[in-house]
Amino acid sequence: MNTAQPSFDTVTEALQWLNAQGFTHDLNLEADCLSFDNGKQTLTPEMFTVTYMFRFEGDTDPGDEEIVYGITSETQGIKGVLTSAFGTYADTATIEMIKKLR
């Protein structure tokens, strides 16, 4: 993961910045992979790298807590974005996926 990254006040700002950096694929979390291209393609944990991670904590509502990931895959030649509320992937994701996203 890249440690030299900007900080943002909102999820929207982080998403806009990532998009400007070329992170244009919308990634979805599955139990043992990330999917994209309407589920037609997948990335297993060994196929991607978490390049950026932005964590947002809601001041008054814990439901506002979210993580935005900027993810790259050299094998697929893509950059994409995954958004997740804190801990939501823990219930269904494999141990490998959880380790990769921490």
Side-chain angles (χ1 to χ4, degrees):
M1 185 170 38
N2 187 347
T3 57
Q5 66 181 20
S7 62
F8 301 102
D9 293 326
T10 67
V11 170
T12 301
E13 289 173 349
L15 292 172
Q16 289 173 340
W17 183 83
L18 284 167
N19 187 269
Q21 305 308 306
F23 291 81
T24 57
H25 284 80
D26 183 23
L27 304 174
N28 297 295
L29 182 64
E30 308 293 337
D32 59 352
C33 65
L34 298 176
S35 65
F36 63 102
D37 196 17
N38 292 321
K40 296 175 188 167
Q41 298 189 54
T42 60
L43 301 172
T44 57
E46 59 275 354
M47 295 172 68
F48 69 86
T49 302
V50 175
T51 308
Y52 296 102
M53 183 179 75
F54 303 100
R55 185 174 176 142
F56 298 92
E57 298 183 20
D59 291 332
T60 58
D61 182 3
D64 290 341
E65 297 177 345
E66 193 164 6
I67 300 175
V68 176
Y69 298 94
I71 293 175
T72 57
S73 173
E74 289 187 27
T75 60
Q76 296 292 324
I78 69 158
K79 291 181 178 180
V81 175
L82 171 69
T83 59
S84 178
F86 291 178
T88 57
Y89 58 81
D91 294 337
T92 59
T94 63
I95 292 171
E96 292 81 15
M97 287 296 292
I98 292 170
K99 286 180 183 177
K100 189 74 175 200
L101 295 173
R102 286 209 171 150

